Amino acid sequence: MENFPIINLEKLNGAERAATMEKINDACENWGFFELVNHGIPHEVMDTVEKLTKGHYKKCMEQRFKELVAKKGLEGVEVEVTDMDWESTFFLRHLPSSNISEIPDLDDVYREVMRDFAKRLEKLAEELLDLLCENLGLEKSYLKNTFYGSKGPNFGTKVSNYPPCPKPDLIKGLRAHTDAGGIILLFQDDKVSGLQLLKDGQWIDVPPMRHSIVVNLGDQLEVITNGKYKSVMHRVIAQKDGTRMSLASFYNPGNDALIYPAPALVDKETEAHNKQVYPKFVFDDYMTLYANLKFQAKEPRFEAMKAMESDPIEIA
C-alpha cells in the first residue's frame, strides 16, 4: 500500500514539476491508477457532497436495498454469487445533457451541490487529459479533441453505496472489471475501504484518504495510447461493517467519437508490417459490446472490435 502512487498536484507549479509529471507517467504505465491530493476542489465542497450523499442514501435508498437485495440476495447461498453485486446505485448524467433534475428523491440543495461538483470534476478531468498528452508527447488537447465527437464528451457520475454485508466472502461489492471509458475520477469514503486493483497478479488495496480523488484509466485510453497506458482490473470487496460511499465520475468519449491509436504512438515497425495491436471503432459500438462483457477480460473485447472493423486503421 505504501507504494501506491499519490500525486500532489500543487507540485506541478514549482521546482518539482518534472518529477511530478514523471510520477504521473509511471502511475499510468504501471498502475493504471493514482490518487490525487491538492487537486483544486475545496475540501468544504467535498464534505458537503459526502454529507448529502450519505444522507440521501439513509433517507431514500437504504430501505429499498434491504428489501430488494439484502433479504433475497444471500438467502440459502453457500457458494460465491457471481451474477450480482452488493451495491446500491443511481446514475447522474452531466454531459452532453444533464438528467439531474429528472432523478426522483433528490432535494434541490443536493441537485445544486452535485451540479457544482460535476463542473469542478469536468475541469479536473480535462486538466488531467492535457497532462497525459504532455507526458505522451501528443499535442495539447489531443485526448480532449479525440473524445469530443460531434456533440462533446459523455460525462456522468455513478453514485454508489456499499452497505454492510453478512457474508462478504460469498459476494463482491462490485465484481472485477476494467472501465470501458476514458478517465475516471473517484471520490470515495475515507473510513470504509474496499476498492482493490489487480497488479502483477495480486489484489492491492486502494488506500482511503480524506479529500483525495482517485483516478483510473479506462479502455479507451489504452487504445488511444496504443497500450503505453493500461486500463486495470479492479473490484470492490464487501465489508461486514460500515457503509462505503463511492462517487465515480466517468469522462468518456462522445457516442460517435472515433477511437484508434494516436498515430504518433504507433511505432514504425508496427506500421511497416501493417500490424494492428488495437482496433479502430466508434465509441458507442464498443459500449454496446461492453454491456454484455463488462465482467470479462478486456482483450477479447478489443479482438471483437478488430473483427468488426470495415476499414483498416490509417496512420497519417
Side-chain angles (χ1 to χ4, degrees), residues 59-75:
K59 181 182 173 187
C60 302
M61 301 190 73
E62 186 174 43
Q63 190 57 36
R64 199 179 312 160
F65 177 83
K66 285 176 180 173
E67 288 168 6
L68 292 178
V69 181
K71 272 187 184 174
K72 301 165 189 170
L74 295 177
E75 208 171 283

Side-chain angles (χ1 to χ4, degrees), residues 144-159:
K144 187 179 167 186
N145 293 341
T146 299
F147 279 25
Y148 201 83
S150 65
K151 296 177 183 171
N154 283 299
F155 183 48
T157 301
K158 180 187 175 189
V159 181

Side-chain angles (χ1 to χ4, degrees), residues 136 138 222-228 230 260-278 313-316:
L136 291 161
L138 299 171
E222 178 165 338
V223 172
I224 295 168
T225 65
N226 201 36
K228 183 174 171 64
K230 296 281 198 294
Y260 55 93
L265 300 178
V266 177
D267 64 52
K268 298 298 175 192
E269 185 183 342
T270 301
E271 188 180 343
H273 292 88
N274 200 26
K275 286 182 191 166
Q276 264 181 265
V277 181
Y278 288 93
I313 187 167
E314 292 173 14
I315 307 297

Side-chain angles (χ1 to χ4, degrees), residues 33-64:
F33 269 78
F34 51 95
E35 197 153 2
L36 295 177
V37 295
N38 296 319
H39 41 64
I41 299 177
H43 290 178
E44 57 269 23
V45 170
M46 300 180 81
D47 289 342
T48 302
V49 168
E50 179 174 2
K51 179 184 170 189
L52 293 176
T53 298
K54 289 182 174 180
H56 173 262
Y57 172 73
K58 277 275 182 205
K59 181 182 173 187
C60 302
M61 301 190 73
E62 186 174 43
Q63 190 57 36
R64 199 179 312 160

